[in-house]
Structure formats: C-alpha cells, structure tokens
Amino acid sequence: MNRAGRRTVNAQIRCEPMVADRADTLRTVAADVSDPPEDRTALVDLLGVLAYAELCAFDRLAEDARMAPTLAGRTAMCAMATVEFGHHRRLARRLEDLGVPPAAAMEPFVAALETYHALTEPATWLEGVVKAYVGDGMAADFYREIAEFVDPSTRALIHEVIADSGRAEFAVHEVQAALAAQPAAAGRLALWARRLVGEAISQTQHVLADRDALMRLFLAGTGMAGVSALIERITDRHAERMRALGLTR
Amino acid sequence: MNRAGRRTVNAQIRCEPMVADRADTLRTVAADVSDPPEDRTALVDLLGVLAYAELCAFDRLAEDARMAPTLAGRTAMCAMATVEFGHHRRLARRLEDLGVPPAAAMEPFVAALETYHALTEPATWLEGVVKAYVGDGMAADFYREIAEFVDPSTRALIHEVIADSGRAEFAVHEVQAALAAQPAAAGRLALWARRLVGEAISQTQHVLADRDALMRLFLAGTGMAGVSALIERITDRHAERMRALGLTR
C-alpha cells in the first residue's frame, strides 16, 4: 500500500528566531559536550540511528527491487540492499565493541525511521530509484556533517557506511532513460523528491528533539552560527542531485 | 496476502510404471548426453534455475525478516538473504563467463519459482523460518544430487552456493523455543512443511517436463534405477530436518 499521500508535503525547515538567552543556553550545552558519559551517549545514539537506518535501507531496497521492469534493474537494487546490510553489520559490530547491544542502541530510532519509510513508500520503480538516490543521499549528507564532530575512528566508519557505491550513476541512468521516453513524468518525480525531503527533515527534527545527547553533539559541533551554513550545504547537494536526475527543484 | 491455502497438499511423487520402450528411449537419451551443445544447454539451465532460485531466496528472506519478533531474529534472516544474493551473483558471473546473459538463462524458470513462492507465502515468522530451513534444504539436496552429473568446477560452485551457512542451527533454535512455549503449534507447522514439500515437488516436475536438456542430464546421471534411490535420499534428509525441528512428518 502506498501511504505517501496521507500527509502534506513539508519541505521547509522552520527555524525559530534566535533570542539571546536561548543562544546562551546552547553555548552552555556546547561547553558540556566534552563530558565523557555525555559523549558516549551521543556516540551510541549516532551509531544506533545509523545502524537502524541501514537496516531499513536494506529492507526497503529489497522490497522496491521487486518493482524493477528488468532483471538487471532488480539485481542492481538487490545489490544495493546487500551493501546496506553490510554497513548495518559494521555499525552493529562497533556497538558491540562498545559493550552496547545493537538492538538497544537502535530501539529509540525505530519509530522515526519506520514512520519516514511508511510515509514515503514508492508506488513505482522510478519513485523507488529516486528515493534510493535523493532520500538516502540527503541522509548521508547529514550523517557526514555530524561525523565531523566525533572521534576520527568513528568518523572513518561513518564515511565508509554512507559511501554512495555507484548509486548515483544507476539512478541518473534509470531516471534519465525514463524521462527521455516520458518527459511528462518529471513533474511528478520532482514533487515526489520534495516529499522525501520534507519527511526526512520532519523525522530528523523529531529524533533530535527526543535525544538530548545527540542534539548537544550536533549543536556543540556546528555552533549556533554553523546550523544555517550546514543546512545550506545539505540543500546545495540536494539541488545537485536533482539537476543530475534532470529534475527541477 | 497468504495464498498458501489455494492448493491442496500433494506430497506424493507420482512415478509412472516403467514400460520397456520408455526405458529404451531414456537410455538413448542418456547416451546422447555427452553431446557438447546438449551438455551446454543443460549446464546453462542448471546455472539459470539456481541463479533465479537464489534471487528469489534473497527476496523472500528479506521480506519474511520483517515478521521477526526480535531485531536479532530480523537481522539473522536479513543476513541469510544477503548470503543468498552473494550466491546469485557468483552464479550470474559464471553464466557471463560462459557468454550467456544471466537474465536470459534465468527467464525460463521465473514462472515456476514465482509460483512456488506465491503458493508458499508464510503467514507467520515461524512458517518463514521453517520454509528457509525445510524448503530450501530440500531444494539444496536436489541441486546437490544434480551437481554430481556436471563438470567438477560447476559442481564445486553448486556445492558452495547451496551450503547451509548456519541456517539449520538458527531454525532449530527458533522453532524449538516456540514449540516449548506453544506445543500445540507443532501440528500446524508439520502440515506447513508438508505443503512446502508438495509444492516444491510439483514445481520441480514442471521444470523438468519443460526443459529437455535438464531432464536428459538428470536421467543420464541417475540412470532409471537411480531415480528412486535419489528420491529416497532426499526424503531421508527431509525427515532428518523435521526431526531436528521437533516436528513429525
């Protein structure tokens, strides 16, 4: 069932105006972040959310592969799914090394990620391809930004598990071929991409609002002035992907 | 949707009485099997059916994993799925080495394998676990028997891709734990296993009836006297699996 229509598209990030005392509070939070137990909570959260994201990515790519019009397309998407599962395993192993059961670390993020996927269930093969590239691409950009705020070994692991591994090329090829045959499909796909972005932002906000340590890591890393620059970088990269697909934002 | 109830269980192999002239024909077929083009057709068929079987196994394990009651169970079944996809890739690569596009080699077997899976869609996690062990186990036994009739390099590849990789242990653990809590479930699961066997045999018969070269390879390998011994070996191994699960046949 495609439940993507249930919610309205919300591709705007609502940034509340900064007032002085809120900025002060956030600076205090930022100063606290060197506290080791807090660091560890944020690290476990980050590995946990990524581990569950990879497991969901496996699930969804495996499911969407069934819509492929060709066996070659189907196996290409199955291959992406297995790559994601490999990433999940690496993250789960890192959590085990930290003495944290992966299931416990993932559990707080199950609802948000399941909600994202339930609200963005592709109805067609092309929607699945665009989701695998645009949706996952944006998530990867976000994790890449956060990776800057953790220790080098965790950062290297995150960079590794969010690597694109040929997905861009595959998506561009599939979408451009489809649009060449059916130019009118572009508007619908562009709208679909907007919905993906809206739901991704919405769920990210829920996660950050729920997980103090992760929010503190994020704010300590970016600094208050850095948040909008980060959003701009992510938005720019999103626009690049849309252009590569031949879709307007 | 669980469509498993649509057909009646048919766990009997119907062996027609052998009459002299039919046996003669089959002996002639057996003598012909050394003919290289015929050999090659059978080999491509064997690799094609196995490649598609592995792709289906990936699909179905990935799907059934979602019914897991725990994240640990879910990831265990996802891991099995990725192993199957790895096998699919090895078989597809072998086909490419032979100059045959994998999609072309798999195509003749799509209908039979999709029918098998459509008729044996698990309705519960335990049915999925039993299918992954009993259904796939029986298929593996059958491929192992046919592997005896091909060149050593293909045989080694087949042995590799049908390896159990810890599945037995996982299934036995899951099913025995469930039966300890709910002994009454045993009857239903045993019936389910019978249905799996019935449908597997039924689709195998369709495939062999459709693919002359594969049938010739099979009969040339077993000899007429060998068919019933082969069936007996496969039946015995099935019975062992059922005993291991704590289910009666």
Side-chain angles (χ1 to χ4, degrees):
Chain A
M1 187 182 60
N2 175 25
R3 288 172 290 183
R6 276 197 200 157
R7 299 220 325 207
T8 51
V9 174
N10 168 21
Q12 296 298 311
I13 300 180
R14 283 178 290 268
C15 291
E16 286 173 27
M18 287 300 302
V19 289
D21 60 272
R22 174 128 172 86
D24 282 348
T25 310
L26 289 167
R27 266 192 291 274
T28 315
V29 166
D32 276 1
V33 91
S34 60
D35 182 50
E38 182 72 11
D39 263 9
R40 187 184 150 88
T41 305
L43 187 65
V44 169
D45 270 2
L46 183 57
L47 293 170
V49 67
L50 250 172
Y52 197 70
E54 295 285 2
L55 190 56
C56 287
F58 166 84
D59 252 13
R60 184 245 315 159
L61 290 167
E63 188 171 348
D64 295 348
R66 293 187 197 105
M67 291 191 285
T70 62
L71 272 170
R74 177 170 159 190
T75 52
M77 201 172 263
C78 292
M80 290 178 201
T82 64
V83 168
E84 303 285 15
F85 187 72
H87 294 161
H88 162 79
R89 291 247 276 216
R90 298 213 47 197
L91 293 157
R93 241 173 264 138
R94 177 66 62 102
L95 283 162
E96 281 162 1
D97 291 346
L98 293 170
V100 180
M106 293 191 285
E107 200 282 324
F109 307 102
V110 169
L113 284 159
E114 293 295 336
T115 302
Y116 169 71
H117 287 296
L119 292 171
T120 57
E121 214 171 292
T124 64
W125 166 245
L126 280 185
E127 286 187 1
V129 170
V130 169
K131 183 173 173 182
Y133 177 47
V134 170
D136 294 9
M138 194 167 196
D141 286 340
F142 185 71
Y143 292 122
R144 189 177 291 112
E145 294 282 352
I146 297 196
E148 291 305 307
F149 315 142
V150 297
D151 62 278
S153 147
T154 307
R155 186 181 314 139
L157 175 61
I158 292 176
H159 282 176
E160 209 174 303
V161 302
I162 62 176
D164 171 273
S165 38
R167 188 171 300 193
E169 204 182 334
F170 173 75
V172 168
H173 174 268
E174 290 287 313
V175 172
Q176 287 195 341
L179 293 185
Q182 246 195 311
R188 200 190 132 127
L189 280 182
L191 195 63
W192 168 248
R194 279 179 67 91
R195 177 183 295 149
L196 294 173
V197 171
E199 295 300 346
I201 290 170
S202 171
Q203 296 310 319
T204 306
Q205 285 174 321
H206 287 161
V207 165
L208 286 176
D210 265 5
R211 306 300 294 177
D212 285 351
L214 210 50
M215 176 67 110
R216 289 152 78 98
L217 174 73
F218 179 69
L219 289 177
T222 56
M224 286 319 298
V227 172
S228 61
L230 178 148
I231 292 171
E232 204 169 312
R233 284 194 297 278
I234 290 184
T235 308
D236 285 351
R237 287 191 210 121
H238 169 67
E240 276 166 33
R241 277 187 288 268
M242 295 295 280
R243 273 194 298 276
L245 291 176
L247 302 174
T248 51
R249 284 168 66 208
Chain B
M1 186 182 64
N2 174 25
R3 288 173 289 182
R6 277 198 198 155
R7 297 222 324 207
T8 53
V9 174
N10 168 21
Q12 297 297 313
I13 299 180
R14 282 180 290 270
C15 292
E16 286 173 26
M18 288 299 301
V19 288
D21 61 271
R22 174 128 173 86
D24 282 347
T25 310
L26 289 166
R27 264 191 292 275
T28 315
V29 166
D32 276 0
V33 92
S34 59
D35 183 50
E38 181 72 12
D39 262 8
R40 187 182 150 90
T41 305
L43 187 65
V44 169
D45 270 3
L46 183 57
L47 293 169
V49 67
L50 251 172
Y52 197 71
E54 295 285 0
L55 190 57
C56 286
F58 165 84
D59 252 13
R60 185 245 316 160
L61 290 167
E63 188 170 350
D64 294 348
R66 292 186 198 106
M67 292 191 285
T70 62
L71 272 171
R74 177 170 159 189
T75 52
M77 202 173 262
C78 292
M80 289 178 204
T82 64
V83 168
E84 302 285 15
F85 187 71
H87 293 162
H88 162 79
R89 291 247 275 215
R90 299 214 45 199
L91 293 157
R93 241 174 265 136
R94 177 66 62 101
L95 282 162
E96 280 161 2
D97 291 347
L98 293 170
V100 180
M106 293 190 285
E107 201 281 325
F109 307 102
V110 169
L113 284 159
E114 292 296 336
T115 302
Y116 169 71
H117 287 297
L119 293 170
T120 57
E121 215 171 290
T124 64
W125 167 246
L126 279 186
E127 286 187 0
V129 170
V130 168
K131 184 172 172 181
Y133 178 46
V134 170
D136 294 10
M138 195 169 194
D141 285 341
F142 184 71
Y143 292 122
R144 190 177 291 111
E145 294 281 353
I146 298 197
E148 292 303 309
F149 316 142
V150 296
D151 63 278
S153 148
T154 307
R155 186 181 313 140
L157 175 61
I158 292 175
H159 282 176
E160 210 174 301
V161 301
I162 61 176
D164 172 274
S165 39
R167 187 171 300 194
E169 205 181 334
F170 174 74
V172 167
H173 174 268
E174 288 288 313
V175 172
Q176 287 193 342
L179 293 184
Q182 246 195 312
R188 202 190 130 124
L189 280 183
L191 195 63
W192 168 247
R194 281 178 67 92
R195 177 183 295 149
L196 294 173
V197 171
E199 295 300 346
I201 290 170
S202 170
Q203 295 311 318
T204 305
Q205 286 175 321
H206 287 161
V207 165
L208 287 176
D210 266 4
R211 306 300 293 177
D212 285 351
L214 210 50
M215 176 67 110
R216 288 153 79 100
L217 174 73
F218 179 69
L219 290 176
T222 56
M224 286 319 297
V227 172
S228 61
L230 178 149
I231 291 171
E232 204 170 311
R233 284 194 298 277
I234 289 183
T235 308
D236 284 351
R237 288 190 209 119
H238 170 66
E240 274 166 34
R241 278 188 288 268
M242 294 296 280
R243 274 194 298 274
L245 291 176
L247 301 174
T248 51
R249 284 169 63 209

XYZ file of all heavy atoms in Angstrom, chain A residues 178-216:
292
model
N 14.046 7.038 -18.428
C 12.585 7.078 -18.295
C 12.027 8.427 -18.742
O 10.996 8.491 -19.408
C 12.187 6.791 -16.848
N 12.748 9.495 -18.402
C 12.264 10.833 -18.771
C 12.393 11.081 -20.272
O 11.594 11.815 -20.852
C 12.999 11.916 -17.979
C 12.721 11.945 -16.466
C 13.423 13.128 -15.822
C 11.227 11.982 -16.154
N 13.376 10.450 -20.887
C 13.516 10.589 -22.336
C 12.284 10.005 -23.027
O 11.783 10.552 -24.010
C 14.790 9.880 -22.817
N 11.790 8.896 -22.470
C 10.613 8.253 -23.061
C 9.324 8.957 -22.645
O 8.341 8.955 -23.381
C 10.581 6.774 -22.637
N 9.325 9.544 -21.469
C 8.097 10.119 -20.902
C 8.422 11.422 -20.189
O 8.463 11.458 -18.953
C 7.545 9.142 -19.865
C 6.204 8.520 -20.234
C 5.582 7.880 -19.010
O 6.253 7.130 -18.300
N 4.329 8.176 -18.747
N 8.653 12.491 -20.946
C 9.088 13.751 -20.306
C 8.093 14.259 -19.261
O 8.486 14.926 -18.298
C 9.189 14.718 -21.486
C 9.267 13.870 -22.709
C 8.520 12.620 -22.409
N 6.809 13.927 -19.447
C 5.778 14.441 -18.538
C 5.932 13.895 -17.125
O 5.384 14.462 -16.170
C 4.400 14.100 -19.086
N 6.674 12.796 -16.951
C 6.835 12.198 -15.628
C 7.700 13.053 -14.709
O 7.714 12.853 -13.485
C 7.436 10.797 -15.762
N 8.435 14.014 -15.286
C 9.392 14.804 -14.496
C 8.717 15.578 -13.368
O 9.235 15.631 -12.252
C 10.160 15.761 -15.416
N 7.559 16.172 -13.657
C 6.875 16.971 -12.643
C 6.484 16.138 -11.442
O 6.696 16.531 -10.289
N 5.961 14.974 -11.716
C 5.530 14.082 -10.651
C 6.720 13.619 -9.797
O 6.652 13.553 -8.567
C 4.845 12.875 -11.293
C 3.941 12.119 -10.347
C 3.494 10.798 -10.963
N 3.707 9.772 -9.948
C 2.785 8.925 -9.543
N 1.602 8.939 -10.069
N 3.056 8.031 -8.609
N 7.841 13.290 -10.478
C 9.029 12.835 -9.746
C 9.636 13.963 -8.905
O 10.151 13.733 -7.814
C 10.086 12.279 -10.702
C 9.868 10.849 -11.205
C 11.028 10.440 -12.102
C 9.711 9.848 -10.059
N 9.578 15.187 -9.432
C 10.113 16.331 -8.687
C 9.294 16.543 -7.411
O 9.842 16.802 -6.334
C 10.096 17.588 -9.552
N 7.986 16.388 -7.537
C 7.098 16.511 -6.379
C 7.405 15.417 -5.362
O 7.450 15.658 -4.145
C 5.643 16.393 -6.857
C 4.571 16.845 -5.866
C 4.706 18.328 -5.561
C 3.167 16.539 -6.414
N 7.639 14.227 -5.866
C 7.998 13.073 -5.022
C 9.288 13.371 -4.238
O 9.373 13.126 -3.028
C 8.146 11.837 -5.909
C 8.777 10.635 -5.276
C 9.987 10.088 -5.581
C 8.220 9.814 -4.233
N 10.220 8.995 -4.800
C 9.156 8.802 -3.956
C 7.037 9.863 -3.500
C 8.945 7.835 -2.986
C 6.820 8.896 -2.532
C 7.768 7.898 -2.285
N 10.279 13.934 -4.933
C 11.546 14.257 -4.273
C 11.322 15.292 -3.172
O 11.934 15.219 -2.105
C 12.559 14.771 -5.301
N 10.437 16.230 -3.419
C 10.119 17.241 -2.397
C 9.495 16.593 -1.168
O 9.782 16.966 -0.042
C 9.126 18.273 -2.949
C 9.749 19.357 -3.808
C 8.677 20.301 -4.310
N 8.070 21.063 -3.225
C 8.501 22.250 -2.822
N 9.521 22.817 -3.428
N 7.903 22.881 -1.833
N 8.629 15.639 -1.417
C 8.007 14.950 -0.284
C 9.062 14.192 0.537
O 9.046 14.200 1.766
C 6.928 13.978 -0.775
C 6.317 13.201 0.394
C 5.307 12.195 -0.053
N 4.164 12.813 -0.648
C 3.430 12.253 -1.611
N 3.758 11.061 -2.065
N 2.393 12.874 -2.091
N 9.993 13.516 -0.162
C 11.067 12.783 0.523
C 11.835 13.719 1.446
O 12.102 13.405 2.611
C 12.035 12.175 -0.495
C 11.495 11.078 -1.415
C 12.541 10.722 -2.454
C 11.096 9.857 -0.610
N 12.196 14.880 0.903
C 12.973 15.843 1.674
C 12.164 16.321 2.880
O 12.672 16.381 4.012
C 13.378 17.035 0.780
C 13.987 18.155 1.609
C 14.363 16.572 -0.291
N 10.909 16.634 2.643
C 10.051 17.118 3.730
C 9.932 16.116 4.859
O 10.107 16.458 6.038
N 9.682 14.867 4.498
C 9.521 13.847 5.542
C 10.839 13.564 6.246
O 10.869 13.311 7.450
C 8.949 12.556 4.947
C 7.543 12.673 4.395
C 6.505 13.091 5.436
O 6.797 13.053 6.642
O 5.396 13.486 5.031
N 11.939 13.590 5.490
C 13.252 13.345 6.103
C 13.552 14.427 7.137
O 14.002 14.132 8.248
C 14.336 13.314 5.025
N 13.287 15.680 6.784
C 13.548 16.786 7.715
C 12.645 16.659 8.941
O 13.096 16.804 10.085
C 13.324 18.141 7.011
C 14.440 18.367 5.985
C 13.291 19.280 8.026
C 14.187 19.557 5.060
N 11.393 16.345 8.693
C 10.433 16.218 9.782
C 10.882 15.137 10.787
O 10.894 15.366 12.001
C 9.068 15.891 9.168
O 8.150 15.566 10.154
N 11.296 13.991 10.285
C 11.704 12.916 11.204
C 13.037 13.245 11.891
O 13.253 12.875 13.043
C 11.779 11.566 10.477
C 10.428 11.074 9.943
C 9.315 11.102 11.000
O 9.538 10.742 12.160
N 8.139 11.554 10.618
N 13.930 13.916 11.166
C 15.199 14.312 11.785
C 14.937 15.243 12.964
O 15.569 15.127 14.022
C 16.091 15.025 10.742
O 16.232 14.173 9.615
C 17.453 15.358 11.313
N 14.007 16.174 12.770
C 13.653 17.089 13.861
C 13.111 16.325 15.066
O 13.488 16.592 16.212
C 12.605 18.105 13.371
C 13.201 19.171 12.466
C 12.138 20.088 11.863
O 11.061 19.624 11.500
N 12.454 21.361 11.747
N 12.256 15.329 14.816
C 11.717 14.523 15.922
C 12.827 13.820 16.684
O 12.843 13.786 17.905
C 10.724 13.476 15.399
C 9.425 14.077 14.975
N 8.543 13.430 14.144
C 8.862 15.264 15.257
C 7.495 14.198 13.932
N 7.668 15.317 14.589
N 13.759 13.236 15.917
C 14.849 12.489 16.549
C 15.698 13.420 17.410
O 16.002 13.116 18.571
C 15.714 11.781 15.482
C 17.042 11.320 16.066
C 14.963 10.595 14.887
N 16.076 14.563 16.844
C 16.938 15.487 17.592
C 16.217 16.029 18.824
O 16.821 16.207 19.888
C 17.410 16.631 16.691
C 18.478 16.248 15.660
C 18.794 17.436 14.755
C 19.769 15.753 16.329
N 14.917 16.282 18.697
C 14.153 16.805 19.833
C 14.068 15.776 20.956
O 14.010 16.120 22.133
C 12.755 17.199 19.371
N 14.093 14.493 20.580
C 13.945 13.407 21.568
C 15.258 13.023 22.235
O 15.263 12.463 23.325
C 13.441 12.140 20.854
C 11.938 12.019 20.938
O 11.298 12.956 21.454
O 11.417 10.994 20.462
N 16.359 13.230 21.524
C 17.632 12.680 22.007
C 18.573 13.816 22.370
O 19.338 14.317 21.552
C 18.268 11.790 20.928
C 17.373 10.688 20.416
C 16.915 9.716 21.461
N 17.991 8.916 22.028
C 17.796 8.026 23.010
N 16.585 7.856 23.541
N 18.805 7.341 23.486
N 18.559 14.161 23.646
C 19.339 15.293 24.139
C 20.816 15.224 23.766
O 21.389 16.194 23.283
C 19.238 15.357 25.672
C 17.874 15.881 26.097
O 17.117 16.330 25.200
O 17.567 15.825 27.301
N 21.418 14.056 24.001
C 22.865 13.944 23.793
C 23.221 14.194 22.326
O 24.216 14.858 22.024
C 23.353 12.565 24.234
N 22.384 13.669 21.450
C 22.626 13.825 20.015
C 22.469 15.298 19.622
O 23.281 15.847 18.863
C 21.615 12.951 19.252
C 22.012 12.380 17.898
C 23.355 11.687 17.928
C 20.936 11.397 17.412
N 21.452 15.933 20.168
C 21.220 17.351 19.898
C 22.398 18.190 20.410
O 22.858 19.119 19.726
C 19.918 17.784 20.590
C 19.615 19.264 20.470
S 19.246 19.772 18.764
C 17.501 20.123 18.921
N 22.919 17.843 21.589
C 24.051 18.588 22.160
C 25.299 18.398 21.297
O 26.038 19.348 21.038
C 24.323 18.118 23.593
C 23.237 18.566 24.574
C 23.123 17.604 25.739
N 24.162 17.762 26.738
C 24.016 18.443 27.876
N 22.867 19.066 28.142
N 24.983 18.520 28.751
